[in-house]
């Protein structure tokens, strides 16, 4: 098998588990929402998960964390914006 190889730091995987996995659905009736989307472009990695109510995004690059993981509650009635 040929193709690109991407190495992910252990700290990034732990952060993904702590921050992004929280928003992944556990409902097997919606299987597309039970996983984490990892997108790799050059040296940047973005991990995203949602269950239809929550959305978590984590960005990282090869030299460390670009921005901290952030979880947004899409069902929140709060009018606060970031």
């Amino acid at each position: 098998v040929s193709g690109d190889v991407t190495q992910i730091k252990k700290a990034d995987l732990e952060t993904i588990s702590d921050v992004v996995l929280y928003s992944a659905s556990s409902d097997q009736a919606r299987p597309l929402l039970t996983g984490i989307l990892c997108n790799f472009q050059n040296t940047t990695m973005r991990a995203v998960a949602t269950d239809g109510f929550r959305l978590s995004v984590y960005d990282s690059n090869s030299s460390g964390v670009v921005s901290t993981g952030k979880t947004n509650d899409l069902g929140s009635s709060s009018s606060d914006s970031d």
Side-chain angles (χ1 to χ4, degrees):
V1 176
S2 64
D4 295 333
V5 174
T6 302
Q7 293 183 354
I8 303 172
K9 294 180 180 179
K10 180 181 176 184
D12 288 337
L13 287 177
E14 290 172 346
T15 302
I16 289 169
S17 177
D18 292 343
V19 177
V20 179
L21 188 58
Y22 167 78
S23 293
S25 178
S26 60
D27 183 2
Q28 294 300 317
R30 301 172 79 185
L32 287 176
L33 301 181
T34 60
I36 295 174
L37 171 67
C38 291
N39 187 343
F40 301 93
Q41 290 185 343
N42 300 322
T43 61
T44 303
M45 177 189 71
R46 172 171 279 174
V48 181
T50 186
D51 63 0
F53 298 98
R54 295 176 295 236
L55 173 67
S56 294
V57 177
Y58 172 76
D59 292 326
S60 171
N61 72 16
S62 62
S63 64
V65 176
V66 173
S67 63
T68 59
K70 183 173 182 181
T71 301
N72 294 318
D73 187 350
L74 300 179
S76 174
S77 61
S78 172
S79 60
D80 296 338
S81 66
D82 294 328

